[in-house]
Amino acid sequence: MKKKLLIFFGVIATVVACSSSDDSGSESTGGSNFDRTALLTNWADNIIIPSFTNYQSKIQALNASITVFNTTTTEANLVNVRTSWLEAYKAYQYVAIYNFGKSEEINLKESANTYPSNTVGIQSNITAGNYNLSLISQFDKQGFPALDYMINGLGTTDAAIVTFYTTNTNAAKYKRYLTDLTARLQTSADAVVTDWNSSYRATYIANNGVSVTSSVNITTNNFVKNLEKDVRSGKIGIPAGVFSGGTLFPDKVEAFYKNDVSRDLLNTAVQASKDFFNGKKFNGTSTGAGFQSYLDYVNATRSGQKLSTIINTQYDAILTSNATLSTSFSKQITTDNTKMITAYDVLQQNVIYTKLDMMQALDITIDYVDGDGD
Amino acid sequence: MIQNYLKQHSSAATLAFYRLAFGLMMLLSLIRFASYGWIKKFYITPEFHFTYYGFEWVKPIGNYTYLLFVIAGLAAFFVAIGYKYKWAILTFFLSFTYIELMDKTTYLNHYYFITLISFTFLFLPANCYYSVDAYKDEKLRFEKIPSWNIDILKLLLALVYFYAGLAKINSDWLIEAMPLKIWLPNNSNLPLIGSFLNENWVHYAFSWTGMIYDLAIVFLLLYKRTRLFGFILVVVFHILTKILFPIGVFPYVMIISSLIFFDTSFHKKVLNLISRIASRSITIFENGKEKQVNPTMLYKAKINFISVFVLFQLLFPFRYVCYPNELFWTEEGFRFSWRVMLMEKAGYTTFTVIDAITKKEIRVNNSHFLTKFQEKQMAFQPDFILEYAHYLHNYYLNQGINAPEVYVESYVALNGRLSQKYIDSKINLANENESFKHKTWILPFNDTIKGF
């Protein structure tokens, strides 16, 4: 028996030993293997590029509504700006996951959504008029949070807000700042979409290996980081005082000036994360290759359940616990912060499932280094 | 019987062959290590190093660390050629061991193996044949040496394999095919066998053959009739692991090392071949002289010391029985025990530092203090977590935090189990100290892994 097993082993191993030296060039093959190329193609063509394209068009719409508002500065048009701002802000939640390539290079994320915004800085920018929004020091004076301040935070009523663009001595400057803010968002969105549509798509898909710098590795790390840092910490943890020993920051919620959409934005981000996990086509219903199918392919089961099911169940638990929150997180934090903490914990659980259990199941390397042999 | 055994002699060519091979392999390994930029990456860049208990004073020495590698490399070369052998092997042993002790993040069983071999070499007359020393000094030249000089190296090598095989006799490895079930599918893009690596039966086949191989290989190598077959297995096995896993030079070290089991005639042939290339001959060393040992007090002391060393090597890997709870979970007694490739373990570990007076909380960003690799290793090993917690305590104390309390939130996933909480998050780790005692703040595993 022993000898037979050894011979069996020997034969298998000899085959490997020989085959590897023969042709080690081709990385991905079809057949029953998990096809990384197909995975990356689904991600790029059905999720990432459509997400960015959608974001781009929502920014265009925002841009258009601001042009209208600047020409015909009325309360009605302000409401329209607000609507398109929220639409674009939601579209942003979908692209925040893909902070690599051009997006990372031009700091799309930091320039679009650094909050709380620096209102003193914004005011001095407006008055001085000589700002350069592409500087790193300007991250907290632009993007959606700055727009939030500009269209929701300048006054307590819509009428009061509109006066900043009509009767205020700096009205022209306010209008200009509004235009510059969207123009900046537009430039970034355009740059990323152009890059994906030209050369980056092919580069991204071709980089289908398993190394630290491979596309699957980079995308996975960004996916996990988004859920951990942007969604968990940014949207809940920081305002709810998780990182400040219980000191609450109701003013550090996302979209503070609009105030009643922070839950909406959180849920959008969670949905975006869940959809990406499932390889779900952007704006569609069909699912393709994604973490879910990848995990199922490597038969990742934990405690008698598919790991993909565990993670999906947890996503649902997150949405359920979010539903108990007020639409305004500042209100929720001031009235009953324990619900925020519960929401944080439920979300944290999925950070652990994805960052630890999923990454482990997919054997995603963090760095190349020798391991113990045998 | 033992007295008779100690009087037996074998050809010095075998020991010389292994000395040469070992020295050259070490030289090449060190060059490879340096060429990857790992000296800087592992020893210069990190601002904090994980030390071994009792060896906290062994730390990288700034840019002199490079010099340390140069010294180790030169020593390895001198060992290979057998020049000033005693000093060379002592230098190599000390410098290599120092390097290994600098940061336990890079701990590998095979590094420990190299330390043990070079330590053993300290006591062996490996320069009495085919060495510059013996070439220059006729008094040092011997054709025969006591057999135990060679057998002890075989024994150490046998221990690595056999204990690694024993360690594989556990329920995770044999019954769950873990962790190979996680690792092998990652290679499913290999040509030919790739598609098989996602098959469940293949994971079991690899697990079981791996265990049987480790237990049986030494016996196959010991007997002349099975030796060649055994050696083919060694080559095939290690090349296979080399293809499947990132394990650096060790497959080659093990393949070359297993040649020590061959007959002297083989070693002589190899040495002859090398000599011919250099237009020399090994006949000068064939003086028919047997290295006689005088049973002096010193020699007896040496024999006793080595016996204790061997006994220690036999027992030390079993020290885990002194600890409660699951070995794979607590890792108390896990290192230095030839437990290789047994675990796919990863963690998610974050720290909170609290000012004892103001109660101000700080969430620690691990990447401020640790490299990615250090963070990865820290996240699932209790002694790393504790040492890092103390480092954070001291760091924040210097930052003006009052009596910093350090708490950890840690989750660990082991061999395909769902992650679970690892460390008691209510324990202020700044108050806990490293020792050989069981760490009570490790939370229970809630599962059992049966076996060695």
Side-chain angles (χ1 to χ4, degrees):
Chain A
M1 185 61 190
K2 208 180 256 185
K3 199 160 185 182
K4 267 187 190 162
L5 272 172
L6 286 171
I7 290 168
F8 158 82
F9 176 82
V11 170
I12 287 201
T14 317
V15 171
V16 191
C18 299
S19 63
S20 76
S21 54
D22 290 340
D23 107 273
S24 51
S26 66
E27 266 253 307
S28 83
T29 44
S32 62
N33 294 335
F34 192 80
D35 194 340
R36 284 189 153 75
T37 309
L39 175 73
L40 292 169
T41 310
N42 186 48
W43 280 352
D45 291 350
N46 296 325
I47 307 178
I48 303 179
I49 297 175
S51 299
F52 273 113
T53 313
N54 173 61
Y55 175 63
Q56 185 189 35
S57 71
K58 292 288 153 61
I59 296 282
Q60 274 161 2
L62 172 64
N63 218 340
S65 69
I66 282 176
T67 311
V68 173
F69 174 75
N70 278 352
T71 331
T72 321
T73 314
T74 62
E75 286 177 46
N77 282 336
L78 176 65
V79 172
N80 287 337
V81 170
R82 231 172 244 159
T83 312
S84 51
W85 164 81
L86 184 58
E87 285 304 302
Y89 211 164
K90 284 185 188 168
Y92 165 80
Q93 307 298 335
Y94 278 86
V95 302
I97 305 172
Y98 320 114
N99 188 34
F100 44 85
K102 191 54 112 185
S103 174
E104 184 187 19
E105 185 191 319
I106 62 171
N107 298 312
L108 180 137
K109 221 168 82 168
E110 291 79 1
S111 57
N113 200 22
T114 297
Y115 60 94
S117 57
N118 175 354
T119 52
V120 177
I122 292 172
Q123 288 292 357
S124 69
N125 269 357
I126 293 170
T127 352
N130 59 347
Y131 45 84
N132 176 2
L133 293 179
S134 46
L135 296 177
I136 287 176
S137 59
Q138 299 290 317
F139 283 159
D140 60 356
K141 294 163 207 152
Q142 59 181 304
F144 294 101
L147 280 167
D148 179 29
Y149 173 66
M150 297 288 287
I151 59 173
N152 298 309
L154 289 172
T156 45
T157 62
D158 285 5
I161 294 168
V162 168
T163 60
F164 281 86
Y165 300 92
T166 50
T167 54
N168 188 295
T169 45
N170 282 329
K173 287 179 173 175
Y174 274 94
K175 282 182 176 174
R176 199 193 130 201
Y177 202 63
L178 210 49
T179 321
D180 286 348
L181 289 178
T182 36
R184 166 82 168 126
L185 288 172
Q186 187 78 64
T187 316
S188 301
D190 290 348
V192 175
V193 171
T194 309
D195 192 49
W196 271 100
N197 283 335
S198 54
S199 58
Y200 191 64
R201 179 193 171 273
T203 316
Y204 178 77
I205 293 173
N207 187 7
N208 60 4
V210 293
S211 73
V212 188
T213 52
S214 68
S215 292
V216 172
N217 204 318
I218 289 172
T219 311
T220 309
N221 275 297
N222 272 279
F223 164 79
V224 167
K225 200 172 162 189
N226 171 258
L227 192 64
E228 183 184 27
K229 305 283 181 194
D230 303 332
V231 184
R232 184 205 66 175
S233 300
K235 296 182 203 295
I236 310 180
I238 293 172
V242 173
F243 303 103
S244 46
T247 308
L248 307 177
F249 293 104
D251 55 335
K252 287 189 180 177
V253 299
E254 199 172 24
F256 172 66
Y257 297 99
K258 179 73 177 83
N259 210 274
D260 58 355
V261 295
S262 30
R263 187 183 79 183
D264 222 0
L265 294 173
L266 169 68
N267 280 338
T268 311
V270 171
Q271 191 62 48
S273 179
K274 185 185 176 189
D275 288 352
F276 187 69
F277 175 80
N278 288 309
K280 193 170 154 207
K281 198 175 161 100
F282 181 79
N283 253 349
T285 47
S286 61
T287 54
F291 290 126
Q292 190 217 339
S293 59
Y294 201 170
L295 284 171
D296 291 348
Y297 175 79
V298 298
N299 292 319
T301 49
R302 302 288 183 268
S303 317
Q305 264 195 86
K306 281 183 178 177
L307 181 56
S308 62
T309 310
I310 294 174
I311 293 174
N312 264 317
T313 309
Q314 196 61 31
Y315 271 120
D316 294 338
I318 294 169
L319 293 170
T320 310
S321 97
N322 288 353
T324 67
L325 302 173
S326 159
T327 52
S328 159
F329 284 175
S330 343
K331 282 196 191 119
Q332 186 65 60
I333 289 166
T334 17
T335 54
D336 182 6
N337 194 48
T338 53
K339 280 188 182 166
M340 288 295 280
I341 300 296
T342 309
Y344 177 90
D345 291 340
V346 178
L347 188 47
Q348 164 72 351
Q349 186 59 62
N350 230 16
V351 169
I352 295 163
Y353 286 154
T354 50
K355 192 172 179 173
L356 175 52
D357 296 278
M358 180 182 92
M359 301 256 296
Q360 183 182 50
L362 300 181
D363 203 7
I364 288 174
T365 32
I366 56 137
D367 210 347
Y368 177 78
V369 63
D370 283 352
D372 239 328
D374 205 330
Chain B
M1 201 180 93
I2 292 174
Q3 289 308 318
N4 280 338
Y5 171 71
L6 290 175
K7 281 179 193 143
Q8 277 177 27
H9 281 73
S10 297
S11 167
T14 299
L15 187 61
F17 164 84
Y18 193 60
R19 185 208 72 229
L20 177 67
F22 181 77
L24 289 179
M25 285 191 297
M26 290 309 107
L27 176 63
L28 292 176
S29 308
L30 287 164
I31 291 172
R32 169 182 176 270
F33 196 94
S35 74
Y36 283 9
W38 284 353
I39 302 177
K40 188 172 166 52
K41 189 170 165 185
F42 295 144
Y43 301 116
I44 311 283
T45 311
E47 52 184 283
F48 167 69
H49 293 280
F50 289 99
T51 58
Y52 288 90
Y53 184 48
F55 293 92
E56 292 81 4
W57 50 277
V58 182
K59 289 204 166 137
I61 38 177
N63 281 328
Y64 292 108
T65 313
Y66 290 106
L67 189 64
L68 195 59
F69 275 82
V70 171
I71 290 170
L74 279 176
F77 178 70
F78 281 5
V79 169
I81 62 170
Y83 179 62
K84 306 244 184 251
Y85 168 77
K86 290 277 171 190
W87 289 108
I89 191 64
L90 180 66
T91 310
F92 180 78
F93 166 69
L94 290 177
S95 54
F96 187 86
T97 306
Y98 189 95
I99 289 168
E100 286 328 307
L101 290 175
M102 289 193 301
D103 193 329
K104 68 183 168 194
T105 313
T106 52
Y107 169 81
L108 291 182
N109 286 288
H110 289 78
Y111 290 144
Y112 176 52
F113 175 68
I114 287 164
T115 291
L116 293 184
I117 293 288
S118 53
F119 178 75
T120 309
F121 260 128
L122 287 175
F123 303 93
L124 306 179
N127 60 338
C128 68
Y129 190 94
Y130 205 70
S131 69
V132 175
D133 287 347
Y135 183 78
K136 288 166 72 174
D137 185 353
E138 210 189 328
K139 279 184 288 193
L140 286 174
R141 228 176 280 159
F142 293 99
E143 194 185 336
K144 300 265 182 191
I145 50 168
S147 297
W148 70 264
N149 289 175
I150 296 158
D151 291 342
I152 188 171
L153 293 172
K154 290 182 186 172
L155 178 66
L156 287 175
L157 191 62
L159 268 186
V160 175
Y161 276 117
F162 193 73
Y163 277 28
L166 277 185
K168 287 187 175 72
I169 306 180
N170 72 70
S171 51
D172 270 17
W173 184 269
L174 297 178
I175 298 180
E176 307 293 334
M178 280 289 177
L180 291 184
K181 206 182 264 179
I182 293 177
W183 289 342
L184 290 179
N186 206 35
N187 287 292
S188 55
N189 47 16
L190 279 176
L192 279 178
I193 59 150
S195 56
F196 289 102
L197 295 179
N198 206 41
E199 299 285 338
N200 221 349
W201 68 268
V202 174
H203 307 151
Y204 282 97
F206 272 68
S207 296
W208 281 80
T209 43
M211 180 269 292
I212 293 167
Y213 165 87
D214 276 345
L215 289 175
I217 192 63
V218 172
F219 302 104
L220 293 177
L221 289 170
L222 276 174
Y223 298 107
K224 201 175 167 72
R225 281 182 56 211
T226 53
R227 190 169 296 149
L228 193 63
F229 173 66
F231 183 69
I232 292 169
L233 281 185
V234 169
V235 173
V236 164
F237 180 85
H238 286 295
I239 288 182
L240 183 63
T241 55
K242 170 78 194 168
I243 293 167
L244 294 174
F245 310 109
I247 46 180
V249 295
F250 304 116
Y252 307 122
V253 171
M254 294 309 270
I255 291 171
I256 303 280
S257 292
S258 68
L259 290 173
I260 197 173
F261 285 97
F262 277 61
D263 286 338
T264 300
S265 58
F266 170 77
H267 302 128
K268 278 191 181 162
K269 259 184 225 157
V270 174
L271 297 180
N272 239 327
L273 195 74
I274 301 170
S275 306
R276 238 176 286 148
I277 294 165
S279 321
R280 293 276 149 86
S281 158
I282 62 165
T283 46
I284 181 174
F285 302 106
E286 301 280 297
N287 58 3
K289 272 168 69 185
E290 278 190 2
K291 189 170 169 65
Q292 292 304 329
V293 284
N294 307 318
T296 58
M297 286 298 281
L298 188 69
Y299 187 75
K300 276 181 187 158
K302 184 165 139 180
I303 293 290
N304 284 334
F305 180 76
I306 288 170
S307 305
V308 171
F309 169 70
V310 167
L311 191 68
F312 178 79
Q313 287 306 318
L314 287 170
L315 295 178
F316 194 57
F318 289 106
R319 71 189 183 283
Y320 74 92
V321 298
C322 304
Y323 293 101
N325 296 351
E326 173 52 48
L327 168 67
F328 287 8
W329 187 245
T330 65
E331 296 201 34
E332 290 171 325
F334 191 83
R335 286 187 284 259
F336 310 110
S337 310
W338 314 120
R339 292 169 200 282
V340 285
M341 311 203 74
L342 291 176
M343 298 197 301
E344 168 49 49
K345 197 177 179 192
Y348 175 91
T349 299
T350 49
F351 292 81
T352 307
V353 174
I354 300 181
D355 186 303
I357 294 170
T358 66
K359 297 293 168 196
K360 184 185 151 198
E361 274 184 43
I362 298 160
R363 291 280 166 143
V364 177
N365 184 346
N366 290 330
S367 60
H368 282 167
F369 304 98
L370 306 177
T371 64
K372 272 187 177 178
F373 184 47
Q374 285 178 318
E375 185 179 356
K376 180 189 175 213
Q377 296 293 91
M378 177 277 293
F380 63 87
Q381 299 183 75
D383 54 336
F384 282 66
I385 291 174
L386 182 62
E387 191 178 0
Y388 180 49
H390 280 263
Y391 174 76
L392 290 174
H393 170 268
N394 296 340
Y395 175 85
Y396 284 103
L397 193 65
N398 282 334
Q399 296 285 306
I401 304 290
N402 303 299
E405 298 168 5
V406 184
Y407 298 93
V408 69
E409 199 190 344
S410 178
Y411 292 83
V412 166
L414 169 65
N415 280 355
R417 291 173 184 82
L418 194 64
S419 56
Q420 49 172 312
K421 210 158 189 195
Y422 191 48
I423 304 287
D424 188 340
S425 54
K426 292 182 193 70
I427 296 283
N428 174 9
L429 289 176
N431 288 341
E432 302 299 319
N433 290 308
E434 186 58 68
S435 73
F436 288 123
K437 284 189 212 126
H438 170 58
K439 295 178 173 63
T440 50
W441 35 268
I442 304 172
L443 294 172
F445 179 47
N446 301 327
D447 200 353
T448 332
I449 301 170
K450 295 188 180 69
F452 279 93

